Amino acid sequence: MKTRFENLKNEIEEIAKNYFACLFKIKSIDSKLSENNNQFSIYKSYLNHVNEAYLKLDDLDKKIINCEFFYQEYPYWWEKQFTLTAFYKLKLNAMEKFIKRFKEV
């Protein structure tokens, strides 16, 4: 049975995967056709939805969501700032807030 932590993590990983897929699709759509393209509008809407949820977070939550799910170039980035236990508590809190904001938008 999955824990709440794992469920939230999986949900945000899916959101991030879709976010980057939308970015890729938008870049691949001909710019001349983009304004009248329904798919373009759907992709752009999803990106805006994710961004709105993200912007409603406080700075620490933004950093956690960004570093853990969207731009993961720095594994263990948190080690100099937090203990493992503290980090997991903060990460759980940030994930809960992000999902809540995402569902509200």
Side-chain angles (χ1 to χ4, degrees):
M1 188 162 113
K2 289 187 177 182
T3 65
R4 173 128 177 90
F5 186 92
E6 291 173 273
N7 288 333
L8 289 167
K9 181 177 173 283
N10 291 339
E11 194 170 350
I12 298 173
E13 285 172 346
E14 186 68 21
I15 291 168
K17 182 179 102 181
N18 291 336
Y19 181 88
F20 288 113
C22 287
L23 278 178
F24 177 79
K25 293 285 188 179
I26 284 173
K27 289 177 183 177
S28 68
I29 294 174
D30 186 336
S31 61
K32 293 177 185 173
L33 301 174
S34 65
E35 292 177 16
N36 298 321
N37 187 314
N38 189 43
Q39 284 298 105
F40 181 86
S41 297
I42 292 168
Y43 300 141
K44 193 74 172 159
S45 177
Y46 188 83
L47 295 177
N48 289 337
H49 188 89
V50 173
N51 287 330
E52 284 181 45
Y54 177 79
L55 290 173
K56 291 181 179 179
L57 300 174
D58 65 33
D59 289 343
L60 178 58
D61 293 333
K62 284 179 185 175
K63 184 173 184 176
I64 291 169
I65 295 299
N66 191 45
C67 291
E68 291 295 298
F69 298 101
F70 288 90
Y71 296 101
Q72 304 169 352
E73 287 116 25
Y74 307 105
Y76 306 104
W77 62 270
W78 50 268
E79 283 186 325
K80 292 182 180 178
Q81 298 173 325
F82 311 108
T83 65
L84 180 61
T85 303
F87 174 67
Y88 275 106
K89 286 179 185 178
L90 291 168
K91 184 175 177 178
L92 177 61
N93 187 45
M95 291 189 302
E96 288 173 335
K97 288 179 184 175
F98 179 75
I99 291 297
K100 180 181 179 193
R101 302 300 187 269
F102 184 79
K103 290 180 178 178
E104 288 174 350
V105 174

